[in-house]
Amino acid sequence: DGKITSANFSPDGRHIVTGSEDKTAKIYGEGEDESWTEKSTMYHDTAVNSAEFSPDGRHMSTICLGGTAKIYGMGKGEEGKWTEEVSIYHNSAIKSLNFSGNGSHVVVTFGDGTAKIYGRGEDKNWTEKAFISGNSHDSKVDSAIFSPDGRHMVVIFQDGKARIYGKGMGEDKNWTEKATIQHDYRIVSATFSA
């Protein structure tokens, strides 16, 4: 009932999720007869700025005005049954939310120049795993994305630095800084190879 703010296909190309200023996100699926029908509607308190599927297609995220993001999981059995797994709140706008390749982690960047990593445990609950503050690096976070295998993440700071973080193995599963890439001017993008 309002302006559509985003539209994205699922990895298999059989579903599409849309976000709208009418405070909803909708998932449509392609049927055997190639028709598209509504499968699910998710309601929010404010306009939905972005709605995207995870790379494995099992999760979907929405970003809303006012510093709220939600992650939904696809239920087992009945196709089209999506349930909210977690709401992420922050005191400033959410700039981006990116899934790891297997959908088990997300990195969220905020308008105040910080970023947080959330992980999905075996109990299917999402918990905060790491906090990256621009203050500790004397610069604000611009964006962050995972490598395709989910073991690394690149965080772009506004001071011309891109920092690569790696996830520990075994007992130590903390995210630690592995390398810094320096430019003379602000970095506009960084992408891992496939």
Side-chain angles (χ1 to χ4, degrees):
D1 296 326
K3 178 182 172 185
I4 295 175
T5 54
S6 73
N8 292 289
F9 280 102
S10 61
D12 66 4
R14 296 196 57 229
H15 293 86
I16 189 165
V17 61
T18 57
S20 173
E21 289 181 351
D22 69 1
K23 304 179 184 177
T24 65
K26 294 185 178 193
I27 296 176
Y28 281 76
E30 182 181 26
E32 295 297 323
D33 62 354
E34 297 184 355
S35 65
W36 289 82
T37 57
E38 186 177 328
K39 300 290 186 180
S40 188
T41 300
M42 286 72 63
Y43 298 92
H44 300 75
D45 294 329
T46 59
V48 178
N49 287 341
S50 173
E52 293 187 23
F53 287 101
S54 61
D56 65 358
R58 304 286 306 167
H59 291 90
M60 189 271 299
S61 68
T62 57
I63 298 174
C64 299
L65 287 176
T68 303
K70 295 181 184 237
I71 298 174
Y72 296 84
M74 184 169 52
K76 299 233 186 251
E78 183 186 344
E79 184 185 344
K81 187 79 173 164
W82 291 82
T83 56
E84 183 180 328
E85 292 186 354
V86 67
S87 289
I88 298 167
Y89 301 100
H90 201 70
N91 58 5
S92 69
I94 296 175
K95 291 170 60 175
S96 66
L97 184 151
N98 292 301
F99 283 97
S100 62
N102 65 4
S104 66
H105 288 82
V106 295
V107 59
V108 186
T109 59
F110 304 101
D112 63 3
T114 61
K116 290 183 181 180
I117 300 170
Y118 294 85
R120 187 173 187 258
E122 290 179 16
D123 60 0
K124 299 185 180 175
N125 289 325
W126 291 86
T127 56
E128 185 179 326
K129 300 295 184 183
F131 175 72
I132 300 168
S133 170
N135 295 335
S136 62
H137 295 292
D138 297 323
S139 182
K140 291 185 174 182
V141 174
D142 247 352
S143 63
I145 61 163
F146 287 103
S147 60
D149 65 3
R151 292 187 53 231
H152 294 89
M153 177 181 59
V154 62
V155 180
I156 298 173
F157 291 85
Q158 293 178 0
D159 63 357
K161 290 185 178 122
R163 299 180 190 273
I164 299 171
Y165 293 83
K167 185 178 177 187
M169 304 298 278
E171 294 292 318
D172 179 21
K173 294 189 178 180
N174 293 329
W175 290 85
T176 56
E177 187 177 330
K178 301 292 185 182
T180 300
I181 300 166
Q182 176 71 57
H183 283 265
D184 293 332
Y185 296 100
R186 194 168 178 172
I187 297 170
V188 294
S189 70
T191 306
F192 284 97
S193 63

